[in-house]
Amino acid sequence: MSAQDRLTDALYGAGWGTVKKLPEPVAVRLGRTIADVAWRRNGKGVQRLAANYARVVPDATPERLAELTRAGMRSYLRYWMESFRLPAWSAERVKGGFDPKDVHYLTDGLAAGKGVILALPHLANWDLAGAWVTTKLATPFTTVAERLRPETLYDRFVAYREGLGMEVLPHSGGSAFGTLARRLRDGGLVCLVADRDLSASGVTVDFFGARARMPAGPALLAQQTGALLLPVTLWYDDSPVMRGRVHPPVEVPESGDRAEKTSAMTQALADAFATGIAEHPEDWHMLQRLWTEDLDPAKGPS
């Protein structure tokens, strides 16, 4: 393991070990302070966040874009402070920490017994939403995690999410799709963060007026298993409670081949994501390149 990898692992370990012990107001202030320092330093991640926001809010003045990026970093650090503290939250704190609208789409879908796929963008705190599902709804689910470096950091994330009641599969390895399909055929729940393709072979969609690639998995799983595909968007307000919305189902088109159906369904997901992101751009934590013309063809997403 390189020195950089050891440092990265140690920092995350300190976060989970120390931040969760802080009083909540102290953790909130710490997160905001770190966010503001990072915003002022204007490193590569902050610059990429600003560039992505410029696509979402194309008429923003430089002053408005700077303000939005600062708010975005504060939202991003709120996510991390909450995530470090989630393992120490009581069941009642988790149940009261998220207030989603139209959750009947999810509960009705689960009651129908055909399986449900929840597809989310990187908005607000998807881990908190997942903990709410396993706690408030008492419903376990399966998800997929990107392989991180170092391996010890990936192991930390898997242990963290499994501790919140999730079954976590590695993104790489090729067997995840089959396992997800089996869970859905058994009437289970699958949750996937789906606004950024990690394989460089995703579906091209129109996203805020430009081309981007998003993963085909959610649409393919829905077609193959008959599961309900539901977009979900999340956001913060000025309260300690995260808000969210379960959007109406993305239907499988009646005509077209598999590729055409997958394209149409993935575009429908992108449109639902865009609606939520446009309403709350500061809560979209996309500090990486996303749009096709921003990617290095030799490297793919980074």
Side-chain angles (χ1 to χ4, degrees), residues 26 51 79 84 101 137 169 220 228 242-243 257-258 261 268 275 298:
V26 176
Y79 158 74
F84 287 143
K101 299 178 181 179
L137 301 184
L169 307 176
L220 289 172
L228 195 67
M242 183 176 71
R243 312 298 174 176
D257 60 21
R258 186 172 72 168
K261 291 178 179 179
T275 297

Side-chain angles (χ1 to χ4, degrees), residues 1-271:
M1 186 188 303
S2 70
Q4 181 62 45
D5 285 348
R6 285 196 297 273
L7 176 60
T8 299
D9 183 60
L11 288 173
Y12 280 98
W16 270 300
T18 303
V19 173
K20 70 180 180 182
K21 299 176 183 178
L22 296 175
E24 189 156 342
V26 176
V28 170
R29 288 196 299 272
L30 175 62
R32 180 163 292 199
T33 299
I34 294 171
D36 288 350
V37 169
W39 174 73
R40 284 193 294 269
R41 288 182 175 175
N42 197 33
K44 288 184 178 180
V46 176
Q47 292 175 34
R48 174 46 49 189
L49 184 66
N52 290 340
Y53 285 161
R55 289 188 179 273
V56 174
V57 190
D59 59 348
T61 64
E63 293 77 16
R64 166 62 179 143
L65 190 59
E67 177 185 300
L68 180 60
T69 305
R70 183 180 190 181
M73 288 304 297
R74 287 182 170 185
S75 175
Y76 184 50
L77 263 295
R78 175 174 172 175
Y79 158 74
W80 278 113
M81 292 297 110
E82 286 180 349
S83 294
F84 287 143
R85 293 173 55 76
L86 261 178
W89 281 16
S90 68
E92 290 308 308
R93 177 72 177 87
V94 172
K95 291 177 183 179
F98 180 40
D99 180 25
K101 299 178 181 179
D102 298 326
V103 74
H104 65 88
Y105 288 119
L106 170 57
T107 53
D108 291 351
L110 291 171
K114 292 186 177 181
V116 177
I117 306 158
L118 297 181
L120 305 88
H122 286 79
L123 273 169
N125 192 337
W126 46 97
D127 286 329
L128 172 55
W132 184 89
V133 168
T134 61
T135 306
K136 177 76 172 181
L137 301 184
T139 302
F141 66 87
T142 304
T143 189
V144 175
E146 178 184 0
R147 283 280 187 188
L148 301 172
R149 288 186 55 195
E151 188 74 14
T152 51
L153 180 57
Y154 171 77
D155 291 341
R156 286 186 190 275
F157 271 95
V158 170
Y160 156 65
R161 289 183 170 133
E162 288 179 342
L164 299 176
M166 311 175 193
E167 179 188 21
V168 183
L169 307 176
H171 181 272
S172 58
S175 63
F177 188 91
T179 302
L180 295 174
R182 287 193 295 274
R183 299 291 183 268
L184 292 168
R185 290 195 186 98
D186 290 338
L189 176 63
V190 164
C191 300
L192 300 170
V193 179
D195 57 344
R196 182 170 177 257
D197 177 53
L198 293 173
S199 67
S201 60
V203 177
T204 298
V205 297
D206 180 85
F207 196 55
F208 291 100
R211 292 190 309 161
R213 287 196 299 266
M214 294 188 180
L220 289 172
L221 283 166
Q223 292 175 63
Q224 186 164 315
T225 67
L228 195 67
L229 176 55
L230 299 174
V232 177
T233 54
L234 311 170
W235 67 92
Y236 291 128
D237 58 17
D238 293 331
S239 78
V241 178
M242 183 176 71
R243 312 298 174 176
R245 177 179 295 112
V246 182
H247 294 253
V250 172
E251 304 289 350
V252 178
E254 295 182 0
S255 61
D257 60 21
R258 186 172 72 168
E260 290 168 337
K261 291 178 179 179
T262 301
S263 178
M265 295 173 73
T266 306
Q267 183 63 62
L269 281 180
D271 292 343

